[in-house]
Amino acid sequence: MPINRIAIGTPGEASHPDALKAALAEFFSMLIFVFAGEGSGMAFNKLTDSGSSTPAGLVAAALAHGFALFVAVSVGANISGGHVNPAVTFGAFIGGHITLLRGILYWIAQLLGSVVACLLLKFSTGGLETSAFSLSSGVSVWNALVFEIVMTFGLVYTVYATAVDPKKGNLGIIAPIAIGFIVGANILAGGAFDGASMNPAVSFGPAVVSWSWANHWVYWAGPLIGAAIAAIIYDHIFIDSTHEQLPTTDY
């Protein structure tokens, strides 16, 4: 089981130049992703005078997030592994592919990147609201929790299949676009119900800047549970158990 490969890391790892550079890469990748993704929603609200959500708005959100994540993962891949998501980092930790200390550095960088992106958006748009994720009418927290678990499972399963699996071969070349595609597709599926976060950092930045925390726990619990399930299933069933797994900066 991958749980046997979980590693805490060494005390000096948190201050090692490579780890700090990787964390900085996560910060910038997250900033790029959230600025484009959250910004697309703010642009839609401005164009519609904060009108009701429409199918066109949902498609625009899916495209913006899919394209931005493709870029954000690509630019960080060679430095940090391009996680751009605390849930992906958690899945990598569960599978023994990153140490706890490096994972904490990633989480801090990812959360800060999201907050800074939202602050920049609020300033550059003249004070428009950075809307926090929320549940649609008729959607309970348990409905949303299942949505986030399943959608994040699909995301992290895709990460493992295209970026982590040592047998991936040339498939690794398309990892960033595959990851962007699954996020865009999941937004089309779940966006109308709970916003389709799949990413605690993406939910955290708008919540901090707008100071709106209603049902915020759903956007942490769901993605982390989904990521852990995907990591355990893929690592245990599909990755050769005899293959040596050492904590690395790559997922």
Side-chain angles (χ1 to χ4, degrees), residues 16-122:
H16 193 278
D18 286 344
L20 296 177
K21 288 179 182 178
L24 188 61
E26 286 294 307
F27 170 84
F28 285 121
S29 287
M30 184 60 74
L31 190 155
I32 291 168
F33 178 45
V34 172
F35 192 90
E38 181 73 13
S40 69
M42 296 171 71
F44 176 82
N45 289 338
K46 181 175 178 60
L47 291 171
T48 61
D49 197 22
S50 298
S52 300
S53 298
T54 65
L58 182 61
V59 171
L63 289 174
H65 283 85
F67 289 161
L69 187 58
F70 166 46
V71 173
V73 171
S74 297
V75 299
N78 291 333
I79 307 169
S80 66
H83 293 198
V84 203
N85 188 335
V88 170
T89 300
F90 184 65
F93 167 68
I94 291 295
H97 301 280
I98 188 172
T99 65
L100 176 62
L101 291 179
R102 186 181 289 260
I104 291 172
L105 279 179
Y106 279 26
W107 272 31
I108 293 171
Q110 291 159 354
L111 295 175
L112 285 175
S114 180
V115 171
V116 171
C118 290
L119 288 172
L120 289 172
L121 280 168
K122 190 173 183 67

Side-chain angles (χ1 to χ4, degrees), residues 217-230:
W217 67 270
V218 170
Y219 300 104
W220 281 85
L224 294 180
I225 293 170
I229 295 171

Side-chain angles (χ1 to χ4, degrees), residues 142-198:
W142 305 113
N143 298 146
L145 182 65
V146 172
F147 253 115
E148 290 297 325
I149 290 172
V150 175
M151 291 186 295
T152 311
F153 173 88
L155 168 58
V156 176
Y157 190 92
T158 301
V159 168
Y160 261 81
T162 61
V164 176
D165 193 333
K167 304 185 295 295
K168 64 183 181 293
N170 292 333
L171 187 65
I173 297 173
I174 70 162
I177 196 167
I179 293 165
F181 278 176
I182 189 60
V183 165
N186 279 339
I187 289 173
L188 291 175
F193 298 93
D194 77 332
S197 171
M198 299 166 276

